[in-house]
Amino acid sequence: MTVGQDPTAAVLIIGNEILSGRTQDVNLNAIARGLGAVGIPVREARVVPDTRSAIVEALNILRAQHTYVFTTGGIGPTHDDITVDAVAAAFGVPAIENPAARAVLVDHYGADRLTPARLRMARTPQGAELVANPVSAAPGIKIGNVFILAGVPDVMRAMLDGIIPTLRPGPAIYSKTVSAYIAESVIAEGLGAIAARFAQLDIGSYPWVRDGRFGTALVARGTDEQAVAKAAEEIMELVLAMGAEITSSAA
Amino acid sequence: MTVGQDPTAAVLIIGNEILSGRTQDVNLNAIARGLGAVGIPVREARVVPDTRSAIVEALNILRAQHTYVFTTGGIGPTHDDITVDAVAAAFGVPAIENPAARAVLVDHYGADRLTPARLRMARTPQGAELVANPVSAAPGIKIGNVFILAGVPDVMRAMLDGIIPTLRPGPAIYSKTVSAYIAESVIAEGLGAIAARFAQLDIGSYPWVRDGRFGTALVARGTDEQAVAKAAEEIMELVLAMGAEITSSAA
Protein backbone atom coordinates (compact mmCIF):
# COMPACT_ATOMS: atom_id res chain seq x y z
CA MET A 1 0.00 0.00 0.00
CA THR A 2 1.13 3.53 -0.66
CA VAL A 3 2.16 5.15 2.61
CA GLY A 4 0.16 8.32 3.18
CA GLN A 5 -3.12 6.86 1.94
CA ASP A 6 -5.71 6.24 4.59
CA PRO A 7 -5.27 2.75 6.00
CA THR A 8 -7.65 -0.09 5.12
CA ALA A 9 -7.90 -3.65 6.35
CA ALA A 10 -9.06 -7.07 5.20
CA VAL A 11 -9.99 -10.11 7.27
CA LEU A 12 -9.23 -13.70 6.28
CA ILE A 13 -11.22 -16.22 8.29
CA ILE A 14 -9.64 -19.66 8.08
CA GLY A 15 -11.61 -22.73 9.06
CA ASN A 16 -13.71 -25.59 7.74
CA GLU A 17 -15.95 -25.20 10.79
CA ILE A 18 -17.13 -21.77 9.64
CA LEU A 19 -17.89 -22.97 6.09
CA SER A 20 -19.66 -26.12 7.31
CA GLY A 21 -21.92 -24.07 9.57
CA ARG A 22 -20.69 -25.89 12.67
CA THR A 23 -19.38 -22.60 14.10
CA GLN A 24 -20.88 -19.13 13.84
CA ASP A 25 -18.06 -16.67 13.15
CA VAL A 26 -18.01 -13.68 15.47
CA ASN A 27 -14.44 -12.55 14.84
CA LEU A 28 -15.11 -10.47 11.73
CA ASN A 29 -17.55 -8.36 13.70
CA ALA A 30 -15.11 -7.86 16.58
CA ILE A 31 -12.26 -6.93 14.24
CA ALA A 32 -14.47 -4.55 12.24
CA ARG A 33 -15.56 -2.74 15.40
CA GLY A 34 -12.09 -2.66 16.90
CA LEU A 35 -10.46 -1.26 13.76
CA GLY A 36 -13.36 1.07 12.99
CA ALA A 37 -12.79 2.72 16.37
CA VAL A 38 -9.32 3.82 15.20
CA GLY A 39 -10.44 4.83 11.73
CA ILE A 40 -9.31 1.73 9.86
CA PRO A 41 -12.20 0.43 7.75
CA VAL A 42 -12.42 -3.27 6.93
CA ARG A 43 -12.99 -3.31 3.17
CA GLU A 44 -13.25 -7.03 2.48
CA ALA A 45 -13.43 -10.35 4.27
CA ARG A 46 -13.02 -13.88 3.01
CA VAL A 47 -13.71 -17.24 4.58
CA VAL A 48 -11.55 -20.10 3.30
CA PRO A 49 -11.14 -23.75 4.31
CA ASP A 50 -8.13 -25.27 6.07
CA THR A 51 -6.45 -25.79 2.70
CA ARG A 52 -3.00 -24.43 2.01
CA SER A 53 -3.63 -23.31 -1.56
CA ALA A 54 -6.85 -21.50 -0.64
CA ILE A 55 -5.14 -19.64 2.21
CA VAL A 56 -2.06 -18.72 0.15
CA GLU A 57 -4.08 -17.44 -2.78
CA ALA A 58 -6.48 -15.33 -0.72
CA LEU A 59 -3.75 -13.94 1.54
CA ASN A 60 -1.52 -12.85 -1.32
CA ILE A 61 -4.38 -10.93 -2.90
CA LEU A 62 -5.53 -9.30 0.33
CA ARG A 63 -2.09 -8.31 1.62
CA ALA A 64 -1.29 -6.60 -1.68
CA GLN A 65 -4.50 -4.58 -1.58
CA HIS A 66 -4.77 -3.49 2.05
CA THR A 67 -2.67 -1.80 4.69
CA TYR A 68 -3.37 -4.60 7.16
CA VAL A 69 -4.67 -8.15 6.94
CA PHE A 70 -5.93 -10.10 9.94
CA THR A 71 -6.26 -13.87 9.75
CA THR A 72 -8.20 -15.85 12.34
CA GLY A 73 -8.01 -19.56 13.07
CA GLY A 74 -5.73 -22.50 12.45
CA ILE A 75 -2.85 -21.72 14.83
CA GLY A 76 -3.44 -24.41 17.45
CA PRO A 77 -1.48 -27.59 18.10
CA THR A 78 -3.49 -30.07 16.00
CA HIS A 79 -2.97 -31.53 12.54
CA ASP A 80 -5.65 -29.28 11.03
CA ASP A 81 -3.86 -26.10 12.17
CA ILE A 82 -2.04 -25.19 8.98
CA THR A 83 -2.23 -21.40 8.98
CA VAL A 84 1.43 -20.84 9.90
CA ASP A 85 2.66 -23.07 7.10
CA ALA A 86 0.28 -21.51 4.61
CA VAL A 87 1.24 -17.93 5.54
CA ALA A 88 4.93 -18.85 5.34
CA ALA A 89 4.28 -20.27 1.87
CA ALA A 90 2.44 -17.10 0.87
CA PHE A 91 5.47 -15.02 1.91
CA GLY A 92 7.89 -17.50 0.32
CA VAL A 93 9.74 -18.17 3.58
CA PRO A 94 10.12 -21.36 5.62
CA ALA A 95 8.14 -22.00 8.79
CA ILE A 96 10.60 -22.28 11.67
CA GLU A 97 10.57 -22.95 15.39
CA ASN A 98 10.68 -19.40 16.74
CA PRO A 99 12.96 -19.10 19.80
CA ALA A 100 10.91 -16.26 21.31
CA ALA A 101 7.69 -18.24 20.89
CA ARG A 102 9.34 -21.31 22.39
CA ALA A 103 10.38 -19.22 25.39
CA VAL A 104 6.78 -18.09 25.89
CA LEU A 105 5.56 -21.69 25.82
CA VAL A 106 8.32 -22.91 28.16
CA ASP A 107 7.32 -20.17 30.55
CA HIS A 108 3.66 -21.18 30.36
CA TYR A 109 3.80 -24.99 30.31
CA GLY A 110 7.22 -25.64 31.88
CA ALA A 111 10.05 -27.11 29.82
CA ASP A 112 9.24 -30.68 30.87
CA ARG A 113 5.65 -30.42 29.62
CA LEU A 114 6.53 -28.91 26.26
CA THR A 115 5.24 -31.80 24.15
CA PRO A 116 5.75 -31.94 20.36
CA ALA A 117 2.10 -30.87 19.93
CA ARG A 118 2.61 -27.80 22.11
CA LEU A 119 5.87 -27.03 20.33
CA ARG A 120 3.89 -26.79 17.08
CA MET A 121 2.56 -23.53 18.54
CA ALA A 122 6.11 -22.13 18.61
CA ARG A 123 6.32 -22.28 14.82
CA THR A 124 6.18 -19.05 12.84
CA PRO A 125 7.09 -17.96 9.35
CA GLN A 126 10.78 -16.99 9.31
CA GLY A 127 11.22 -13.29 10.09
CA ALA A 128 7.93 -12.97 11.96
CA GLU A 129 7.32 -11.16 15.24
CA LEU A 130 5.08 -12.41 18.05
CA VAL A 131 1.70 -11.05 19.11
CA ALA A 132 1.00 -11.37 22.83
CA ASN A 133 -1.69 -13.81 23.94
CA PRO A 134 -2.70 -12.81 27.48
CA VAL A 135 -5.35 -15.55 27.64
CA SER A 136 -3.71 -18.84 26.77
CA ALA A 137 -0.03 -18.09 26.09
CA ALA A 138 0.40 -19.51 22.55
CA PRO A 139 1.27 -16.31 20.66
CA GLY A 140 -0.21 -14.72 17.59
CA ILE A 141 2.13 -13.71 14.82
CA LYS A 142 2.93 -10.62 12.76
CA ILE A 143 4.70 -10.86 9.42
CA GLY A 144 4.80 -7.93 7.05
CA ASN A 145 1.35 -6.36 7.13
CA VAL A 146 -0.33 -9.60 8.21
CA PHE A 147 -1.48 -10.42 11.73
CA ILE A 148 -2.13 -14.11 12.40
CA LEU A 149 -4.64 -14.40 15.22
CA ALA A 150 -6.35 -17.23 17.09
CA GLY A 151 -9.81 -18.44 16.10
CA VAL A 152 -11.19 -18.74 19.65
CA PRO A 153 -13.02 -15.41 20.08
CA ASP A 154 -11.79 -14.59 23.60
CA VAL A 155 -8.21 -15.19 22.58
CA MET A 156 -8.62 -13.36 19.26
CA ARG A 157 -10.01 -10.28 21.00
CA ALA A 158 -7.24 -10.21 23.58
CA MET A 159 -4.63 -10.35 20.82
CA LEU A 160 -6.43 -7.64 18.84
CA ASP A 161 -6.60 -5.34 21.88
CA GLY A 162 -2.83 -5.49 22.08
CA ILE A 163 -2.35 -4.83 18.38
CA ILE A 164 -4.71 -1.90 17.84
CA PRO A 165 -2.55 0.72 19.62
CA THR A 166 0.37 -0.23 17.32
CA LEU A 167 -1.55 0.42 14.08
CA ARG A 168 -1.49 3.60 12.03
CA PRO A 169 -4.90 5.10 12.73
CA GLY A 170 -7.07 6.57 10.01
CA PRO A 171 -9.37 9.57 10.17
CA ALA A 172 -12.01 9.08 12.88
CA ILE A 173 -15.23 7.51 11.60
CA TYR A 174 -18.45 9.03 12.96
CA SER A 175 -21.81 7.33 12.85
CA LYS A 176 -25.36 8.21 13.87
CA THR A 177 -28.32 5.85 13.73
CA VAL A 178 -32.00 6.73 13.72
CA SER A 179 -34.31 3.74 14.21
CA ALA A 180 -38.01 4.03 13.54
CA TYR A 181 -41.15 2.00 12.93
CA ILE A 182 -41.16 2.85 9.26
CA ALA A 183 -40.91 0.64 6.19
CA GLU A 184 -37.85 1.06 3.99
CA SER A 185 -40.04 1.49 0.95
CA VAL A 186 -41.85 4.45 2.57
CA ILE A 187 -38.71 6.35 3.39
CA ALA A 188 -36.63 5.30 0.38
CA GLU A 189 -37.27 8.34 -1.79
CA GLY A 190 -36.58 10.95 0.88
CA LEU A 191 -33.58 9.02 2.12
CA GLY A 192 -32.17 8.77 -1.39
CA ALA A 193 -32.38 12.55 -1.67
CA ILE A 194 -30.48 12.96 1.60
CA ALA A 195 -27.87 10.43 0.47
CA ALA A 196 -27.42 12.39 -2.77
CA ARG A 197 -26.89 15.63 -0.79
CA PHE A 198 -24.36 13.98 1.53
CA ALA A 199 -22.33 12.14 -1.10
CA GLN A 200 -19.28 12.15 1.19
CA LEU A 201 -21.15 9.94 3.70
CA ASP A 202 -22.32 6.36 3.70
CA ILE A 203 -26.08 6.57 4.27
CA GLY A 204 -27.43 3.10 5.02
CA SER A 205 -30.90 1.70 5.51
CA TYR A 206 -31.31 -1.58 7.42
CA PRO A 207 -34.75 -3.09 7.89
CA TRP A 208 -35.58 -5.03 11.04
CA VAL A 209 -38.54 -6.85 12.52
CA ARG A 210 -39.46 -6.54 16.20
CA ASP A 211 -42.43 -8.44 17.62
CA GLY A 212 -43.89 -8.67 14.16
CA ARG A 213 -43.59 -4.94 13.45
CA PHE A 214 -41.33 -3.73 10.65
CA GLY A 215 -38.87 -0.94 11.18
CA THR A 216 -35.72 0.47 9.69
CA ALA A 217 -32.40 1.63 11.09
CA LEU A 218 -31.12 4.62 9.17
CA VAL A 219 -27.40 5.19 9.50
CA ALA A 220 -25.20 8.13 8.54
CA ARG A 221 -21.53 7.24 8.65
CA GLY A 222 -18.34 8.93 7.57
CA THR A 223 -15.29 10.94 8.55
CA ASP A 224 -16.99 14.35 8.33
CA GLU A 225 -18.44 14.74 11.85
CA GLN A 226 -20.53 17.82 11.07
CA ALA A 227 -21.99 16.24 7.96
CA VAL A 228 -22.89 13.08 9.92
CA ALA A 229 -24.71 15.20 12.53
CA LYS A 230 -26.50 17.25 9.87
CA ALA A 231 -27.53 14.18 7.84
CA ALA A 232 -28.85 12.45 10.97
CA GLU A 233 -30.89 15.57 11.75
CA GLU A 234 -32.37 15.57 8.28
CA ILE A 235 -33.15 11.86 8.57
CA MET A 236 -34.98 12.47 11.84
CA GLU A 237 -36.96 15.32 10.31
CA LEU A 238 -37.84 13.09 7.37
CA VAL A 239 -39.01 10.27 9.65
CA LEU A 240 -41.09 12.63 11.77
CA ALA A 241 -42.55 14.30 8.68
CA MET A 242 -43.77 10.89 7.58
CA GLY A 243 -45.51 10.48 10.93
CA ALA A 244 -43.38 7.53 12.05
CA GLU A 245 -42.40 6.70 15.61
CA ILE A 246 -38.66 6.96 16.32
CA THR A 247 -37.53 4.11 18.58
CA SER A 248 -33.97 5.25 19.11
CA SER A 249 -31.42 7.76 17.98
CA ALA A 250 -27.82 7.18 18.94
CA ALA A 251 -24.22 7.65 17.97
CA MET B 1 -18.79 -26.20 -13.53
CA THR B 2 -18.50 -29.60 -15.14
CA VAL B 3 -21.80 -31.43 -14.77
CA GLY B 4 -21.26 -34.72 -13.00
CA GLN B 5 -18.80 -33.36 -10.47
CA ASP B 6 -20.11 -33.10 -6.93
CA PRO B 7 -21.74 -29.72 -6.45
CA THR B 8 -20.09 -26.95 -4.42
CA ALA B 9 -21.29 -23.52 -3.37
CA ALA B 10 -19.96 -20.10 -2.50
CA VAL B 11 -21.59 -17.29 -0.53
CA LEU B 12 -21.21 -13.59 -1.34
CA ILE B 13 -22.32 -11.37 1.53
CA ILE B 14 -23.00 -7.85 0.32
CA GLY B 15 -23.21 -4.98 2.77
CA ASN B 16 -21.29 -2.13 4.37
CA GLU B 17 -23.06 -2.91 7.64
CA ILE B 18 -21.33 -6.29 7.93
CA LEU B 19 -17.87 -4.83 7.23
CA SER B 20 -18.39 -1.90 9.61
CA GLY B 21 -19.35 -4.27 12.42
CA ARG B 22 -22.77 -2.68 12.77
CA THR B 23 -24.44 -5.98 11.90
CA GLN B 24 -23.37 -9.50 12.85
CA ASP B 25 -23.82 -11.73 9.79
CA VAL B 26 -25.76 -14.91 10.47
CA ASN B 27 -26.66 -15.77 6.88
CA LEU B 28 -23.46 -17.61 5.99
CA ASN B 29 -24.07 -20.02 8.85
CA ALA B 30 -27.68 -20.63 7.81
CA ILE B 31 -26.74 -21.19 4.17
CA ALA B 32 -23.86 -23.50 5.12
CA ARG B 33 -26.14 -25.64 7.28
CA GLY B 34 -28.97 -25.67 4.76
CA LEU B 35 -26.76 -26.68 1.85
CA GLY B 36 -24.71 -29.10 3.93
CA ALA B 37 -27.91 -31.00 4.71
CA VAL B 38 -28.26 -31.79 1.00
CA GLY B 39 -24.60 -32.57 0.45
CA ILE B 40 -23.56 -29.26 -1.09
CA PRO B 41 -20.51 -27.93 0.74
CA VAL B 42 -19.86 -24.19 0.93
CA ARG B 43 -16.23 -23.87 -0.13
CA GLU B 44 -15.72 -20.13 0.12
CA ALA B 45 -17.43 -16.99 1.33
CA ARG B 46 -16.66 -13.35 0.73
CA VAL B 47 -17.97 -10.18 2.31
CA VAL B 48 -17.89 -7.11 0.06
CA PRO B 49 -19.17 -3.53 0.45
CA ASP B 50 -22.14 -2.02 -1.40
CA THR B 51 -19.84 -1.10 -4.29
CA ARG B 52 -20.62 -2.22 -7.81
CA SER B 53 -17.05 -3.04 -8.85
CA ALA B 54 -16.42 -5.10 -5.71
CA ILE B 55 -19.62 -7.11 -6.23
CA VAL B 56 -19.01 -7.67 -9.94
CA GLU B 57 -15.43 -8.80 -9.47
CA ALA B 58 -16.17 -11.21 -6.62
CA LEU B 59 -19.28 -12.64 -8.25
CA ASN B 60 -17.59 -13.36 -11.56
CA ILE B 61 -14.84 -15.28 -9.82
CA LEU B 62 -17.18 -17.25 -7.56
CA ARG B 63 -19.76 -18.16 -10.19
CA ALA B 64 -17.02 -19.53 -12.46
CA GLN B 65 -15.63 -21.73 -9.70
CA HIS B 66 -18.74 -23.13 -8.01
CA THR B 67 -21.92 -24.93 -8.95
CA TYR B 68 -24.02 -22.40 -7.04
CA VAL B 69 -23.46 -18.92 -5.65
CA PHE B 70 -25.73 -17.31 -3.08
CA THR B 71 -25.64 -13.57 -2.54
CA THR B 72 -27.24 -11.92 0.48
CA GLY B 73 -28.19 -8.29 0.94
CA GLY B 74 -28.78 -5.18 -1.11
CA ILE B 75 -32.10 -6.00 -2.79
CA GLY B 76 -34.38 -3.58 -0.92
CA PRO B 77 -35.97 -0.36 -2.12
CA THR B 78 -33.36 2.16 -0.98
CA HIS B 79 -30.54 3.95 -2.78
CA ASP B 80 -27.90 1.70 -1.21
CA ASP B 81 -29.52 -1.46 -2.62
CA ILE B 82 -27.36 -2.00 -5.68
CA THR B 83 -27.08 -5.77 -5.85
CA VAL B 84 -29.45 -6.21 -8.81
CA ASP B 85 -27.56 -3.69 -10.92
CA ALA B 86 -24.21 -5.16 -9.93
CA VAL B 87 -25.26 -8.74 -10.72
CA ALA B 88 -26.69 -7.61 -14.05
CA ALA B 89 -23.38 -5.93 -14.81
CA ALA B 90 -21.51 -9.10 -13.85
CA PHE B 91 -23.63 -11.08 -16.32
CA GLY B 92 -23.37 -8.36 -18.96
CA VAL B 93 -27.13 -7.87 -19.21
CA PRO B 94 -29.31 -4.84 -18.39
CA ALA B 95 -31.37 -4.59 -15.22
CA ILE B 96 -35.04 -4.41 -16.22
CA GLU B 97 -38.41 -4.08 -14.56
CA ASN B 98 -39.47 -7.73 -14.39
CA PRO B 99 -43.20 -8.17 -15.19
CA ALA B 100 -43.53 -11.24 -12.96
CA ALA B 101 -41.88 -9.42 -10.06
CA ARG B 102 -44.10 -6.40 -10.65
CA ALA B 103 -47.14 -8.68 -10.51
CA VAL B 104 -46.00 -10.06 -7.14
CA LEU B 105 -45.63 -6.53 -5.76
CA VAL B 106 -48.99 -5.38 -7.16
CA ASP B 107 -50.55 -8.38 -5.48
CA HIS B 108 -48.89 -7.55 -2.15
CA TYR B 109 -49.11 -3.76 -1.99
CA GLY B 110 -52.04 -3.05 -4.34
CA ALA B 111 -51.48 -1.26 -7.65
CA ASP B 112 -52.27 2.15 -6.17
CA ARG B 113 -49.61 1.79 -3.47
CA LEU B 114 -46.83 0.67 -5.81
CA THR B 115 -44.54 3.66 -5.28
CA PRO B 116 -41.35 4.16 -7.32
CA ALA B 117 -39.35 2.92 -4.30
CA ARG B 118 -41.36 -0.30 -4.11
CA LEU B 119 -41.09 -0.72 -7.87
CA ARG B 120 -37.32 -0.79 -7.48
CA MET B 121 -37.86 -4.23 -5.95
CA ALA B 122 -39.37 -5.43 -9.25
CA ARG B 123 -36.06 -4.93 -11.02
CA THR B 124 -34.01 -7.99 -12.01
CA PRO B 125 -31.20 -8.72 -14.41
CA GLN B 126 -32.69 -9.48 -17.83
CA GLY B 127 -33.36 -13.18 -18.22
CA ALA B 128 -33.63 -13.86 -14.50
CA GLU B 129 -36.24 -15.98 -12.71
CA LEU B 130 -37.87 -15.11 -9.40
CA VAL B 131 -37.31 -16.75 -6.02
CA ALA B 132 -40.39 -16.78 -3.80
CA ASN B 133 -40.39 -14.61 -0.68
CA PRO B 134 -43.09 -15.97 1.63
CA VAL B 135 -42.26 -13.41 4.33
CA SER B 136 -42.34 -9.95 2.78
CA ALA B 137 -43.26 -10.44 -0.91
CA ALA B 138 -40.33 -8.70 -2.67
CA PRO B 139 -38.84 -11.67 -4.53
CA GLY B 140 -35.33 -13.06 -4.61
CA ILE B 141 -33.78 -13.69 -8.00
CA LYS B 142 -32.09 -16.55 -9.83
CA ILE B 143 -29.86 -15.91 -12.83
CA GLY B 144 -27.58 -18.62 -14.17
CA ASN B 145 -26.10 -20.39 -11.17
CA VAL B 146 -26.53 -17.36 -8.91
CA PHE B 147 -29.27 -16.89 -6.32
CA ILE B 148 -29.80 -13.33 -5.13
CA LEU B 149 -31.29 -13.43 -1.63
CA ALA B 150 -32.38 -10.87 0.93
CA GLY B 151 -30.11 -9.76 3.76
CA VAL B 152 -32.73 -9.85 6.51
CA PRO B 153 -32.14 -13.29 8.06
CA ASP B 154 -35.80 -14.37 8.36
CA VAL B 155 -36.45 -13.47 4.74
CA MET B 156 -33.19 -15.03 3.56
CA ARG B 157 -33.99 -18.33 5.28
CA ALA B 158 -37.50 -18.46 3.85
CA MET B 159 -36.12 -17.94 0.34
CA LEU B 160 -33.43 -20.56 0.91
CA ASP B 161 -35.96 -23.12 2.14
CA GLY B 162 -37.75 -22.79 -1.17
CA ILE B 163 -34.57 -23.09 -3.23
CA ILE B 164 -32.93 -26.07 -1.58
CA PRO B 165 -35.31 -28.72 -3.00
CA THR B 166 -34.53 -27.42 -6.51
CA LEU B 167 -30.75 -27.89 -6.21
CA ARG B 168 -28.76 -30.88 -7.40
CA PRO B 169 -27.86 -32.62 -4.14
CA GLY B 170 -24.39 -33.96 -3.47
CA PRO B 171 -23.40 -37.08 -1.58
CA ALA B 172 -24.75 -36.97 1.98
CA ILE B 173 -22.30 -35.48 4.48
CA TYR B 174 -22.08 -37.29 7.82
CA SER B 175 -20.64 -35.78 10.97
CA LYS B 176 -19.99 -36.94 14.51
CA THR B 177 -18.72 -34.75 17.33
CA VAL B 178 -17.08 -35.84 20.59
CA SER B 179 -16.73 -33.04 23.13
CA ALA B 180 -14.52 -33.46 26.16
CA TYR B 181 -12.74 -31.57 28.93
CA ILE B 182 -9.39 -32.09 27.31
CA ALA B 183 -6.84 -29.61 25.97
CA GLU B 184 -6.15 -29.68 22.26
CA SER B 185 -2.43 -29.95 22.91
CA VAL B 186 -2.96 -33.12 24.96
CA ILE B 187 -4.94 -34.93 22.30
CA ALA B 188 -3.16 -33.50 19.25
CA GLU B 189 -0.75 -36.37 18.65
CA GLY B 190 -3.32 -39.16 18.92
CA LEU B 191 -5.82 -37.19 16.91
CA GLY B 192 -3.28 -36.56 14.17
CA ALA B 193 -2.72 -40.31 13.92
CA ILE B 194 -6.47 -40.89 13.56
CA ALA B 195 -6.69 -38.13 10.94
CA ALA B 196 -3.88 -39.78 9.00
CA ARG B 197 -5.68 -43.15 9.06
CA PHE B 198 -8.96 -41.55 7.91
CA ALA B 199 -7.57 -39.38 5.14
CA GLN B 200 -10.94 -39.42 3.35
CA LEU B 201 -12.51 -37.54 6.29
CA ASP B 202 -12.20 -34.06 7.64
CA ILE B 203 -11.10 -34.53 11.26
CA GLY B 204 -11.40 -31.22 13.10
CA SER B 205 -10.44 -30.06 16.56
CA TYR B 206 -12.15 -26.98 18.03
CA PRO B 207 -11.19 -25.70 21.47
CA TRP B 208 -13.80 -24.12 23.72
CA VAL B 209 -13.99 -22.57 27.17
CA ARG B 210 -16.91 -23.26 29.51
CA ASP B 211 -17.03 -21.68 32.97
CA GLY B 212 -13.29 -21.22 32.85
CA ARG B 213 -12.57 -24.85 31.95
CA PHE B 214 -10.93 -25.68 28.63
CA GLY B 215 -12.29 -28.38 26.39
CA THR B 216 -12.23 -29.47 22.79
CA ALA B 217 -14.84 -30.55 20.28
CA LEU B 218 -13.49 -33.30 18.05
CA VAL B 219 -15.34 -33.68 14.79
CA ALA B 220 -15.25 -36.40 12.13
CA ARG B 221 -16.97 -35.32 8.95
CA GLY B 222 -17.27 -36.73 5.47
CA THR B 223 -19.33 -38.63 2.95
CA ASP B 224 -18.22 -42.11 4.11
CA GLU B 225 -20.75 -42.88 6.86
CA GLN B 226 -19.00 -45.99 8.14
CA ALA B 227 -15.64 -44.22 8.29
CA VAL B 228 -17.21 -41.32 10.20
CA ALA B 229 -18.66 -43.74 12.75
CA LYS B 230 -15.40 -45.65 13.08
CA ALA B 231 -13.30 -42.49 13.41
CA ALA B 232 -15.65 -41.10 16.08
CA GLU B 233 -15.32 -44.38 17.97
CA GLU B 234 -11.54 -44.18 17.86
CA ILE B 235 -11.67 -40.55 18.99
CA MET B 236 -13.82 -41.55 21.96
CA GLU B 237 -11.43 -44.36 22.87
CA LEU B 238 -8.52 -41.93 22.62
CA VAL B 239 -10.23 -39.38 24.88
CA LEU B 240 -11.13 -42.04 27.46
CA ALA B 241 -7.63 -43.53 27.32
CA MET B 242 -6.29 -40.08 28.27
CA GLY B 243 -8.59 -40.06 31.28
CA ALA B 244 -10.68 -37.12 30.08
CA GLU B 245 -14.36 -36.54 30.75
CA ILE B 246 -16.58 -36.67 27.67
CA THR B 247 -19.24 -33.97 27.86
CA SER B 248 -21.18 -34.95 24.76
CA SER B 249 -21.11 -37.21 21.76
CA ALA B 250 -23.54 -36.50 18.97
CA ALA B 251 -24.17 -36.73 15.27
Side-chain angles (χ1 to χ4, degrees), chain B residues 144-166:
Chain B
N145 61 341
V146 176
F147 293 90
I148 305 172
L149 307 185
V152 176
D154 287 353
V155 180
M156 195 291 298
R157 281 192 295 267
M159 290 177 172
L160 185 67
D161 287 346
I163 291 165
I164 284 176
T166 72

Side-chain angles (χ1 to χ4, degrees), chain B residues 98-123:
Chain B
N98 186 304
R102 187 191 168 104
V104 169
L105 295 174
V106 166
D107 195 48
H108 181 74
Y109 290 110
D112 52 327
R113 297 178 59 221
L114 206 53
T115 58
R118 286 176 175 151
L119 256 183
R120 258 180 77 81
M121 296 189 285
R123 296 171 73 250

Side-chain angles (χ1 to χ4, degrees), chain B residues 209-222:
Chain B
V209 185
R210 208 173 288 157
D211 301 328
R213 287 181 73 187
F214 288 88
T216 304
L218 304 157
V219 180
R221 195 178 154 88

